[in-house]
Amino acid sequence: MESLQQFLTDDHRRLDALLERTGNCASAEELAAYDSFRRGILKHIGIEEKIMLTAAARLHGAPLEQAARLRLDHGAIVSLLMPLPTPAIIHALRTVLSAHNPIEEGDAGVYDVCDKLTISEHDELMAKVHAAPEVPTNQNATSPRILDAARHALARAGYDPALIDG
């Protein structure tokens, strides 16, 4: 039986590999990898926010202790997906994900806690996870407003906002 933890951890590995293939987003292949990463991470975050954390909070009777931290990181990640990808944006994404993923993975990580809390609804939740839709995306665009929003989201989540300034 596939666990939520295994599914989402495997998805982290898939997304990490795509992000690694983005390089500097200078070639068509690197841009294609970035686009796949971008669509995949948005779907992944949607699964965590709309399915996993929601079910865990309902069954726990309150949001998980780490939920607020994860949501701040998710906000930072999503804000970094808006501007055109640059080496600095890719570096910032890697920085956030390298701090974020360990909170979710492993024994006593959020995924493990969620698996234990949601065991009575495992099959239903996994069906929702597998049926989760792609998240529609807009074309990347860089403007001072978009970059300021990304800096603000990074700072709010506790990261250096200058990460995107390369």
Side-chain angles (χ1 to χ4, degrees), residues 3 11-12 16-17 26 28 35 45-46 55 58 63 71 76-77 79-80 99 101 119 127 130-131 137 151-152 156 159:
S3 71
D11 202 37
H12 277 178
D16 289 345
D35 184 58
I45 288 170
R58 180 175 41 79
R71 287 192 169 110
I77 293 164
S79 76
L80 292 168
N101 289 353
I119 192 73
H130 287 290
T137 59
R151 285 184 197 96
H152 177 74
R156 194 165 173 241
Y159 299 97

Side-chain angles (χ1 to χ4, degrees), residues 19-152:
L19 189 58
E20 190 59 35
R21 289 182 24 220
T22 64
N24 289 326
C25 288
S27 69
E29 294 81 18
E30 290 173 342
L31 288 168
Y34 180 78
D35 184 58
S36 293
F37 167 80
R38 186 174 178 235
R39 286 182 286 109
I41 195 75
L42 288 169
K43 181 176 179 177
H44 183 93
I45 288 170
I47 289 168
E48 290 178 354
E49 294 280 348
K50 295 176 183 176
I51 299 169
M52 181 191 75
L53 291 174
T54 300
R58 180 175 41 79
L59 293 164
H60 183 59
L64 297 182
E65 178 182 332
Q66 302 95 327
R69 164 83 253 146
L70 296 179
R71 287 192 169 110
L72 287 171
D73 283 355
H74 290 162
I77 293 164
V78 169
S79 76
L80 292 168
L81 299 174
M82 295 170 63
L84 294 166
T86 64
I89 294 291
I90 300 301
H91 173 71
L93 283 164
R94 287 184 178 130
T95 298
V96 174
L97 289 169
S98 69
H100 177 83
N101 289 353
I103 297 168
E104 296 174 331
E105 297 176 0
D107 294 336
V110 171
Y111 295 162
D112 183 51
V113 170
C114 287
D115 263 343
K116 290 174 180 163
L117 282 171
T118 63
I119 192 73
S120 66
E121 299 179 6
H122 174 268
D123 293 345
E124 178 186 335
L125 288 175
M126 289 307 295
K128 287 180 180 178
V129 165
H130 287 290
E134 293 282 324
V135 176
T137 59
N138 292 323
Q139 188 172 359
N140 293 88
T142 300
S143 71
R145 193 176 117 244
I146 288 171
L147 293 174
D148 285 346
R151 285 184 197 96
H152 177 74

